[in-house]
Amino acid sequence: MAPSAYSFMLQKGITGGFAPPTPEALHTVNKEATNTTLLIASQHRPIGESSLQPLAPKNINHSDAEHLVDELHTILKDLPTEQPPGSQDIYGLDTSIAWQSDDLEWYNGGPQGCGGGESSVQATDEQKAKFKRAVEIVNELVGK
């Protein structure tokens, strides 16, 4: 079961190189312990634009999303991250997820994206499938 308070973020567009990555989308989901709703904020970069454009924030009832959040929390607890952080996109989806709660701090992709060489940790095909499911969960929550 997911904790009563948590925050997570998904960023599409994490691979870079000499230049930092150019994100295509950024979604954040926050739940405070005293609230029964999730606050969802999203930004997208329209084709041809150089910066992210915010969409109107929205709230969804936590009880409508709890099963998805629990699944996401469970998946992330079992997945490795690249070592050193930001070295390589080990899941191959050009996407990062960052989770913060009392019982779990998890992020892949590093704060400035990926592009710093090869990771000493590589994801298995099963782990890649689980990470893909985690991305699907976040996108489903954002789409509610």
Side-chain angles (χ1 to χ4, degrees):
M1 186 159 99
S4 62
Y6 52 85
S7 175
F8 56 90
M9 178 185 76
L10 179 143
Q11 179 177 320
K12 175 71 176 155
I14 64 167
T15 54
F18 294 114
T22 304
E24 297 173 30
L26 185 64
H27 307 297
T28 58
V29 178
N30 292 296
K31 175 167 181 314
E32 295 179 9
T34 57
N35 281 349
T36 60
T37 59
L38 301 178
L39 174 61
I40 299 174
S42 293
Q43 300 177 55
H44 290 273
R45 184 171 49 86
I47 294 173
E49 296 290 322
S50 61
S51 61
L52 293 169
Q53 304 299 314
L55 301 175
K58 61 183 171 180
N59 291 295
I60 62 171
N61 192 318
H62 181 256
S63 63
D64 295 339
E66 190 169 15
H67 68 286
L68 291 171
V69 173
D70 287 345
E71 183 181 358
L72 176 63
H73 183 251
T74 299
I75 288 170
L76 294 179
K77 284 172 41 174
D78 291 335
L79 289 180
T81 59
E82 72 282 349
Q83 294 301 322
S87 58
Q88 180 184 6
D89 178 12
I90 64 172
Y91 294 106
L93 296 178
D94 195 23
T95 302
S96 69
I97 296 176
W99 174 284
Q100 174 73 43
S101 63
D102 287 343
D103 71 332
L104 179 65
E105 276 190 46
W106 191 96
Y107 70 91
N108 69 306
Q112 299 300 318
C114 288
E118 188 169 331
S119 171
S120 63
V121 174
Q122 296 295 315
T124 65
D125 288 343
E126 180 182 342
Q127 290 166 333
K128 288 178 182 180
K130 286 181 178 181
F131 184 76
K132 182 177 181 184
R133 174 63 186 144
V135 171
E136 290 169 355
I137 290 168
V138 176
N139 287 329
E140 185 175 340
L141 289 168
V142 169
K144 283 191 173 276

